[in-house]
Amino acid sequence: MTIDAKEVSIVADRSLAAEGRLKIDWVQAHMPVLNEIRAQFEKEQPFKGLKVSICLHLEAKTAYLAEVVQAGGAEVTITGSNPLSTQDDVCAALVEAGITVFAKYNPDPREFKDLMVRALESKPDLIIDDGGDFATILHSERPDLMVNIRGGAEETTTGIIKLKALQKEGALKFPMVAVNDAYCKHLFDNRYGTGQSAWDGLIRTTNLVVSGKTVVVVGYGWCGKGVAMRAKGLGANVIVTEVDAIKAVEAYMDGFQVMPMIEAAKLGDMFITVTGNKAVINGEHYPVMKNGAILANAGHFDVEFSKPDLAALASEIRTVRKNIEEYKLEDGRSIYVLAEGRLVNLAAGDGHPAEIMDMTFALQAVSLKYVNDSYKELGAKVINVPYELDERVARTKLSALGIGIDSLSEEQINYLDSWSS
Ligand SMILES: NC(=O)c1ccc[n+]([C@@H]2O[C@H](COP(=O)([O-])OP(=O)(O)OC[C@H]3O[C@@H](n4cnc5c(N)ncnc54)[C@H](O)[C@@H]3O)[C@@H](O)[C@H]2O)c1
């Protein structure tokens, strides 16, 4: 039975649809790769008769991905993957487009979880997940909603870590494509996307200067490299902290100071965590921080710096500006927390640039088709995006940018293939 989106959706305000539509139109105009996939999906209808549930940061680029999947014949239900990253006007526009939405900006934690579960109650054939929340619900509390599932695609590093843990225990029940691990995802989205948008979120939230400040980037993975590179470009003195010796050497060779957090904590004016880990800044570090230090997180969950440890040292917590909480410590210092420690680029910004999400969401769309075409052979595993799909996204991007590249001659192919000449 077809779901009536207007009947069942739960959104904050349906009257905001026109504003949301303008936002979606703007990003669509900057997403040529996804536009090409949409044209193909409209023709081939790969998801005809299937239900697809999506859990992603619900802003305009995600909305357009949902419409591309819908154009491929799917009945689409969507929810947000973070309480502060959902944009109510975008949700309203999607309902008008016939997509079932269970999401609002800043619901309380229980409602947030309920909305997520509602988005699975259609018993989807396919899912798109971000951070493993859908996968966790399906594998723990609500296995009854898994009855139709063929497989899905996971967006981010943190979700893939969870899926691999499930797989290791032999508990994973369906194939999931690790979109994050595709080249056209982490090389551009994690590095250039997070690099730019984390600073966009931090700067628009604080309205402070970065140049001359000491910025501590915690974690030098794909995201951390981008955040550190852009901090340097903005004129900051950048310190990197790491637990991986190879990444630490890389950060050093890239020209950054590297030291343990207990030393960096004394020097930083701004801290950005991007580790996928928890409590990487904690009660050991807050006592030595400067008065006025600013803490922001760009990792998936809001546990990277410990808010409970900070709250335990505070005599008062107050909101001093939208998305900025001041923790007044008993010794008189203040430490500021941005966007409640949730991803600063999405909770206090619009997320990655559209041109970046063009490639990421193109990979999501083709990965969803791939898992649907091949789920019977794939088995219940975490699957890499096939290289041909990754390359197709890159080639389409180059063509949209009007950039040509060379190709190997016959002689060069033979030379590279042989060991003797
Ligand atoms: N903000 C966004 O829009 C966005 C985009 C992509 C990914 N993410 C999220 O960002 C996080 C990082 O992703 P990534 O792709 O860079 O992961 P990654 O695995 O490439 O890098 C994480 C790095 O953190 C380091 N690390 C772990 N614990 C640490 C600690 N205690 N101190 C210092 N360093 C530590 C690891 O050694 C690793 O080098 C994940 O949660 C991911 O889901 C966010």
Side-chain angles (χ1 to χ4, degrees), residues 156-159 161 180 185-186 189-190 194 197 218-224 241-244 247 274-278 280 298-301 304 343 345-346 352:
T156 198
T157 316
T158 287
I161 291 170
N180 183 76
K185 202 296 188 167
H186 63 266
D189 174 311
N190 299 31
T194 313
S197 65
V218 190
Y220 203 66
W222 289 108
C223 294
T241 70
E242 251 298 342
V243 291
D244 179 314
K247 304 267 180 64
V274 255
T275 64
N277 201 348
K278 68 180 285 203
V280 296
H300 190 77
F301 287 117
E304 298 223 0
L343 314 97
N345 57 327
L346 281 144
H352 293 357

Side-chain angles (χ1 to χ4, degrees), residues 33-172:
V33 185
L34 208 47
N35 287 334
E36 187 185 290
I37 290 166
R38 181 188 187 126
Q40 182 201 341
F41 280 5
E42 274 167 354
K43 216 165 23 179
E44 295 173 6
Q45 295 289 290
F47 309 122
K48 195 168 169 48
L50 300 181
K51 291 189 182 127
V52 176
S53 288
I54 300 176
C55 175
L56 285 170
H57 297 290
L58 221 178
E59 44 71 55
K61 281 95 65 184
T62 301
Y64 186 48
L65 170 66
E67 292 187 350
V68 169
V69 174
Q70 182 191 41
E75 201 172 285
V76 178
T77 304
I78 192 161
T79 188
S81 70
N82 184 300
L84 297 188
S85 63
T86 295
Q87 298 190 7
D88 289 329
D89 49 3
V90 167
C91 293
L94 280 181
V95 176
E96 291 307 307
I99 288 175
T100 305
V101 183
F102 294 111
K104 344 171 147 160
Y105 175 75
N106 205 12
D108 66 44
R110 224 187 60 196
E111 190 183 9
F112 176 64
K113 176 77 182 296
D114 286 349
L115 291 167
M116 225 176 239
V117 174
R118 289 293 304 270
L120 288 168
E121 279 172 352
S122 60
K123 299 183 177 150
D125 301 279
L126 297 164
I127 57 170
I128 295 180
D129 205 359
D130 187 355
D133 285 324
F134 268 178
T136 304
I137 293 169
L138 290 170
H139 284 85
S140 54
E141 298 146 51
R142 298 297 305 270
D144 59 306
L145 302 177
M146 230 196 271
V147 282
N148 298 322
I149 203 129
R150 297 178 174 191
E154 165 58 52
E155 170 81 0
T156 198
T157 316
T158 287
I160 292 168
I161 291 170
K162 281 195 199 172
L163 290 170
K164 287 194 171 155
L166 266 174
Q167 179 177 323
K168 204 164 146 203
E169 280 180 20
L172 185 65

Side-chain angles (χ1 to χ4, degrees), residues 236-416:
N237 306 306
V238 183
I239 297 172
V240 169
T241 70
E242 251 298 342
V243 291
D244 179 314
I246 296 170
K247 304 267 180 64
V249 175
E250 189 183 10
Y252 171 78
M253 292 283 182
D254 286 344
F256 302 117
Q257 291 186 72
V258 178
M259 62 184 75
M261 176 52 77
I262 194 66
E263 286 172 31
K266 297 176 201 155
L267 305 174
D269 300 302
M270 295 171 170
F271 295 78
I272 302 192
T273 51
V274 255
T275 64
N277 201 348
K278 68 180 285 203
V280 296
I281 302 177
N282 57 49
E284 197 190 332
H285 307 116
Y286 298 128
V288 300
M289 281 185 180
K290 288 185 193 174
N291 179 34
I294 292 173
L295 305 180
N297 169 47
H300 190 77
F301 287 117
D302 61 342
V303 296
E304 298 223 0
F305 55 81
S306 171
K307 283 187 289 176
D309 284 5
L310 186 55
L313 297 170
S315 53
E316 191 190 338
I317 303 170
R318 61 183 189 129
T319 301
V320 289
R321 192 177 151 91
K322 186 167 184 223
N323 280 323
I324 307 184
E325 279 173 328
E326 178 184 23
Y327 285 67
K328 282 186 175 232
L329 305 194
E330 293 188 349
D331 61 15
R333 286 172 306 133
S334 287
I335 292 180
Y336 297 98
V337 168
L338 305 194
E340 299 173 11
R342 299 186 190 280
L343 314 97
V344 69
N345 57 327
L346 281 144
D350 289 312
H352 293 357
E355 299 100 320
I356 297 281
M357 293 316 287
D358 187 25
M359 285 187 284
T360 300
F361 284 164
L363 282 166
Q364 281 287 5
V366 294
S367 297
L368 201 67
K369 178 176 175 330
Y370 168 67
V371 83
N372 186 47
D373 291 345
S374 330
Y375 69 99
K376 288 189 184 132
E377 303 92 69
L378 290 176
K381 288 200 293 270
V382 179
I383 315 280
N384 285 333
V385 175
Y387 184 74
E388 311 78 72
L389 296 182
D390 217 349
E391 207 206 5
R392 175 187 161 193
V393 169
R395 287 201 176 274
T396 313
K397 190 73 182 173
L398 283 173
S399 141
L401 292 168
I403 296 172
I405 58 170
D406 295 324
S407 50
L408 293 170
S409 67
E410 199 68 29
E411 191 189 355
Q412 289 168 336
I413 292 171
N414 291 337
Y415 175 74
L416 293 171

